[in-house]
Amino acid sequence: MTGWLVGLKIIVAGRPRSGTSMMMRILDLSGYRCLRDMDWENKLGELRRNRYFYEHKDFVHTGNMSLLEGYDAAKVMPGGIAGLDPERVFIIWMDREREAVLASQSAYDRGSLIGKDLGEDFDQWNVEELLAPFRHIRLSYEAVAAIHLERNL
């Protein structure tokens, strides 16, 4: 890494089905060492229609910084952001329209997996408050998807 990102871990964050896996794939294909747990990802693949998750089961919901040793990037869900060290990470937050996220989550019946209403789950996170302590950028799912598809990543 060069410039002001030197020494920082890149964390991709967002609500489930907001494009976090897509952004992690882009980082992976760009040469970043991405934290993954293939056993976990294979289990997820049985539930969802996605080949690439770029998730580590012990990091994605906790933000446990000790797991990042030797890696450049990792993915975390909103609840795991509290475990991150603002001095050591840069967050890429993936934004996607609420209705698009809920439709995508409904396609694999996420509501029954988490045991709560999908809209309630989406609305529980105040993104501005979550990101306030961190250096971060917010990216649109739609814009990143257009680039991703154009480049056949």
Side-chain angles (χ1 to χ4, degrees):
M1 286 185 267
T2 61
W4 59 273
L5 281 175
V6 170
L8 296 178
K9 304 293 184 179
I10 297 174
I11 303 298
V12 176
R15 294 174 176 95
R17 309 303 298 167
S18 65
T20 54
S21 296
M22 176 178 56
M23 178 53 69
M24 287 296 294
R25 176 133 171 90
I26 291 169
L27 292 173
D28 183 42
L29 292 173
S30 298
Y32 290 89
R33 295 168 298 173
C34 298
L35 178 65
R36 299 180 79 175
D37 178 342
M38 293 310 296
D39 289 337
W40 172 248
E41 289 187 36
N42 290 334
K43 287 179 186 175
L44 291 176
E46 296 170 9
L47 299 171
R48 306 181 197 165
R49 299 179 200 112
N50 188 350
R51 291 184 307 166
Y52 307 104
F53 293 97
Y54 292 92
E55 291 184 6
H56 190 286
K57 68 176 178 155
D58 296 326
F59 184 83
V60 72
H61 296 290
T62 67
N64 180 347
M65 295 291 296
S66 67
L67 295 171
L68 291 177
E69 189 65 38
Y71 296 96
D72 303 315
K75 179 169 98 174
V76 71
M77 292 292 106
I81 289 176
L84 299 173
D85 179 351
E87 299 300 317
R88 296 180 51 209
V89 303
F90 176 81
I91 295 177
I92 299 173
W93 178 270
M94 296 300 296
D95 276 317
R96 188 176 186 189
E97 292 181 16
R98 184 180 192 274
E99 294 310 313
V101 168
L102 298 182
S104 183
Q105 290 178 351
S106 293
Y108 73 90
D109 197 21
R110 183 169 188 274
S112 66
L113 291 173
I114 64 171
K116 68 162 81 168
D117 176 73
L118 294 176
E120 177 187 325
D121 183 56
F122 184 96
D123 295 335
Q124 74 177 320
W125 306 109
N126 181 319
V127 177
E128 289 78 19
E129 285 181 16
L130 281 175
L131 298 178
F134 298 92
R135 289 167 277 206
H136 66 275
I137 187 170
R138 293 179 71 170
L139 298 178
S140 155
Y141 168 87
E142 292 76 15
V144 174
I147 294 167
H148 184 67
L149 292 173
E150 181 179 305
R151 303 277 188 231
N152 292 317
L153 299 174

